Amino acid sequence: MLTGEHRHPTDHVVVLFGATGDLAARKLIPGLFHLEVAGLLPHHFTIIGTSPVALDRDGFLAHAHDVVERFGRNQPHGRHWDRFVARLDYAVSSPPDLTALAAAVERAKVGMGGDPDVLHYLSIPPLAMDDCVTAIGANGLAGPKAKVILEKPFGTDLASAQALNALLHSVFAEEQIYRIDHFLGKEDIQNVLAFRFANRMFAPIWDRQHIAHVQIDVPETLGVETRVGFYEETGAFRDMVVTHLFQALGFVAMEPPAEFTAAALADAKHDVFAAMAPLDPERVVRGQYEGYRALDGVPADSDTETLVAVEVLIDNDRWRGVPFHLRTGKQMPEGRRVITLTLRPSDHDLFPASDDVFGNEIVFDIAEPGWIRVYFVSKEPGPTMTLGEAHLDFRYRDNFHPRAELEAYERLLHDAMLGDLTLFNRADSVERLWEVAAPLLAAPPPVLPYAPGTWGPAAIDELVAPNSWYLPDSR
């Protein structure tokens, strides 16, 4: 999929476990409908929603209409909607009994008159994953043409990740397993690869000789009021860093893949993870916003972090000695997704240094749609050689028509139907990242309080000193 070749999925039965849940409502059902509008669904398909909720088919169709109307980019009417809704079905299920679901899948297969692929999307809580995977196997839903998409987190530590992978491999082959991380479906994350490897002006500077430090910064303005139970089990590190931010780091730091195939890209990313040093708890800051412990369901002495910043070191020839600083948190001043590479100062000291002139930075804003900004130093107009900051900008909307955009979940759903594992996570890489995280999980530093609407405790700035965070925008 990274070569520009357009392919059409073969016939599919798509099974949405957790079809009445929040992710299905906000992303999956509207996303599948957008793929229909874009002409990217198979010629023949059936989408079967399933959950313990007692709905009939008409009730699920009404639910699908409501969520597409509320959250979708396309309104639920016209010929595309008529074709889409005619291919929706629903079956009540609750593992271990998937009898009604298995019957609905068989009806869909017979209706297509062939042997379609079956794609299971497990949009379910982590605690339900084991029972659901086991039930899929026990009810005859995991044949050689079956695939399964799993939502993060993939375990909560190394032992649980290994156990989950062992269970998955007892039902599916590795090439049938699609561990989804929606960050990797973002156009802007994928554009890091294009920017690095397709542009001669940038590829030679992507190493420790030219780059002083790297940041991946994902602050959020929301709190955790609707996710207290989940957050008390995971915290910001498990929720965001060991998944999204580490995966983004893999794209930023990888060696040039041998070729743009799923296997080569996974190998290149795994090599980065293999070279990551185990996290040093003394180079980690954990924060908790004031008022979190007052939320219903949160213990008065909760040590759950709502903010975390970590320093990552990569022990290889390209990056040795370059700190990667990753930060994410709740109740912060802005909701942003930013990757920043700061270059070393020029070797030619022709001009006096100035704390007021920045330059020499490459910034990826990985929101959808995003932008890339290259900061450099330029002469200011006038009779003296006075230096000032300047920048060059690339914005998706200024260069490409928005009709071509796919949101992250849409892209990844389409890739899974194509059987393309390029942007999904591999078992060995998932386990390696939990190995890297093990020292922090074993001895986490205590959480530090921070006021809602701020950038975190002071230790956040001390972690990156003598450098500074790109956010808040100081340019």
Side-chain angles (χ1 to χ4, degrees), residues 12-13 24 55 74 81 87 120 144 210 225 270 321-322 372 384 393 398 413 438:
H12 264 73
V13 178
L55 284 178
N74 311 99
W81 178 251
R87 288 159 173 80
H120 301 289
H210 300 90
E225 287 78 2
H270 183 74
V322 177
I372 302 171
T384 62
D393 288 348
D398 294 342
L413 278 164

Side-chain angles (χ1 to χ4, degrees), residues 443-468:
V447 294
L448 303 175
Y450 65 98
T454 68
W455 289 99
I460 291 286
D461 295 321
E462 297 168 6
L463 179 69
V464 299
N467 304 306
S468 60

